[in-house]
Amino acid sequence: MSTLDLFAPAPDDATLMAQLRRTLHEHAHRYYVLDVPTLPDAEYDRLFRELQALEARHPELVTPDSPTQRVGGKPLDQFAPVRHAVPMLSIRTETDTEASGAENFDARIRRELGLSPTDAAIDYVAEPKFDGLAMNLRYEQGVLVQAATRGDGEVGEDVTQNIRTIGQIPLGLPVDAPAVLEVRGEVYMRRDDFEALNDKQRAAGQKTFVNPRNAAAGAVRQLDPAIAAQRPLSFYAYGLGAVTPPDVGGPVWQSHFEMLQTLKSWGFPVSELVKCAQGAPALVAYYAAIGAQRDGLGFDIDGVVYKVNSLALQRQLGFVTREPRWAVAHKFPAQEMLTTVLAIDVQVGRTGKLTPVAKLAPVFVGGVTVTNATLHNEDEARRKDVRVGDTVVVRRAGDVIPEVVSVLLDKRVGTPAVFTMPRQCPVCGSAAVREEGEADYRCTGGLFCSAQRKQAILHFAQRRAVEVEGLGDKLVDQLVDVGIINTLPDLYRLGFTALAKLARMADKSAQNILDALEKSKQTTLPRFLFGLGIRHVGEATAKALARHFGKLDAIMDAPEEALLAVADVGPIVAKSIRTFFDQAHNREVVEQLRACGVTWPEGEPAPVAVQPLSGQTFVLTGTLPTLGREEAKALIEAAGGKVAGSVSKKTSFVVAGVEAGSKLDKARELGVAVLDEDQLKEMLDGGA
Ligand code: 9MJ
């Protein structure tokens, strides 16, 4: 036996390592791509460490596709250039943001193919246009060997080290994949990951990113892969680059859609929003449907992409200069635009919070005309250094309120004054104070401050509270300013004559408001409680309180310890509720509202065990139409239910929204009931 043999790994170690790699790949895929983890994190970590230990003993057996190799490289000085085997072309952009963009494309394709109006409709694939960075992933003999940015289309940058850290990207392919395969797609950052990253940056006193795209670009072009590994990136595949030898040893695809399905089966994330569409009308419908979902998606898109599905037709159509003739990007209205700051106002919220707001020259952004953008608080306004007259980038994406993301300093004229928060409430003149450790200034005027009164009334009248249809901010401004209304009960003392006398108030509208007020008197305890505007008592907490105590008086008189027994209530919330009802004027408001006829069915206290969802486990998947994931989770938990991350036989219900994906498939496979958002809400309300 030679010395070498003595040190050779025991054959079972090599086998064990291969097994561990396979198992870890399988579970990483379930976790990152399918979103259905079936292995507890601790067990994954244990297997990972076992593989690491074996690799430390046998460094010669470490393979580049080992899951331990996602993060590992040393910081670089610069990225190496990569000449693309097949140029990464850009696609032509249809800037027409009307439906006709799809019709123009279809008409052009039909003309190029010499089709007459009576010929059959063309099969297309319609895809979201992800707003990230295009990436070319090169696999040789099934192993990821290189990831490169698009660059100028001919030469990109080698960012392999950073791209390997993206859990969704397979490091290895099944044996039936071609010997050389380049997969193209978009690296992007989800909105929730972006918000969490910015929170983390702020907490660490580091610079925040202006949007998910910039954050993703920063991560991809990060020279230290250890830092890149901490930036949460995602990936969607949408095409191919070089595939050699051409169609040998791998599948031969007839269509783009078929090819995407194969990529999916090989472990690449392919969006559920990618659809087949026949002819122009289907493309027009797709543009509208995706446009309607845009705000609720978990990530930014800037349009949709239409592609001819047949690969034979794609070849026939070919390219014009550097763009394929068979694809077009159809943009949505931009989510970021430039405008100028006309003034910086300070608004007073319901709880007295002072918020600096940039008044903007009107600008069409994210599908709406924006004239105001929040600057959040004094520190944020200073950090961004927004000044009157500045040219700024305004962003409105998702359902978030419009925001000033940055100032174009080279466009600043002169030296406008730095923003400072007033030390007095701009509305009532009371002192404005900033408590230690808080970011916000608050007006100390309470209900003496007309701004706080107005906000309190609007809060009470909103749809999610007692709902007084037609009572909007303009009318509340008038009612408070002329002194007809000072407190909530005054609403129910409004007479027709007083209302009809208001400027721009027709008799019919006055009557409608009175009818709406009358209707709002029949409400529910959770709506009423929420409407009172007790600090920290949102809808979910109001529901939990109502369910727990049954009657308002029981809540009003409950000591803090009793409030703490409610599932959703912690010490801060309990104290806030107690403080609110300890104030005589708040109890008086409640009594007067009741005296005016505001009423709700009261119930018996419900012990925690009979909450509507107690004992039930829910799994959330996809994007729900109105509820955010955290919000849905809070509501389910407040109703006694549990929220789990993956579907199993123990799951009671899967709540599915757009892009539901594999959790939904799993639910169907196991026969688990699937709910939409409306059905979930019904259950939360105690129905079903
Ligand atoms: C994006 N950005 O989402 C393409 N893209 O196809 C999609 N980009 C593309 N397809 C060929 N969905 C070249 C670029």
Side-chain angles (χ1 to χ4, degrees), residues 571-621:
I572 294 175
V573 184
K575 186 157 190 285
S576 167
I577 298 168
R578 204 50 270 138
T579 309
F580 184 90
F581 287 118
D582 280 345
Q583 299 194 30
H585 66 92
N586 288 334
R587 296 180 87 94
E588 182 63 26
V589 163
V590 171
E591 282 329 307
Q592 288 185 18
L593 285 168
R594 278 167 155 166
C596 290
V598 178
T599 172
W600 54 86
E602 292 210 308
E604 290 308 312
V608 179
V610 295
Q611 284 182 297
L613 305 188
S614 64
Q616 318 262 36
T617 303
F618 290 75
V619 172
L620 300 167
T621 177

Side-chain angles (χ1 to χ4, degrees), residues 279-357:
L283 295 182
V284 170
Y286 184 82
Y287 182 79
I290 297 293
Q293 289 172 46
R294 183 187 191 188
D295 281 356
L297 296 176
F299 47 86
D300 285 358
I301 58 173
D302 55 355
V304 294
V305 178
Y306 311 131
K307 295 176 181 172
V308 170
N309 193 20
S310 152
L311 297 182
L313 286 185
Q314 283 190 9
R315 278 189 288 272
Q316 188 182 331
L317 284 158
F319 299 84
V320 242
T321 54
R322 300 169 45 78
E323 294 171 344
R325 279 203 187 87
W326 43 265
V328 74
H330 189 182
K331 292 264 203 168
F332 289 142
Q335 289 180 317
E336 285 185 6
M337 293 292 280
L338 289 182
T339 187
T340 48
V341 177
L342 304 177
I344 300 178
D345 282 2
V346 174
Q347 290 182 353
V348 186
R350 179 169 57 82
T351 57
K353 179 184 160 189
L354 303 190
T355 306
V357 175

Side-chain angles (χ1 to χ4, degrees), residues 89 91 127-130 186 238 305 307 326:
L89 302 172
I91 32 181
E127 308 175 352
K129 187 170 183 306
F130 309 105
E186 204 84 351
Y238 54 64
V305 178
K307 295 176 181 172
W326 43 265

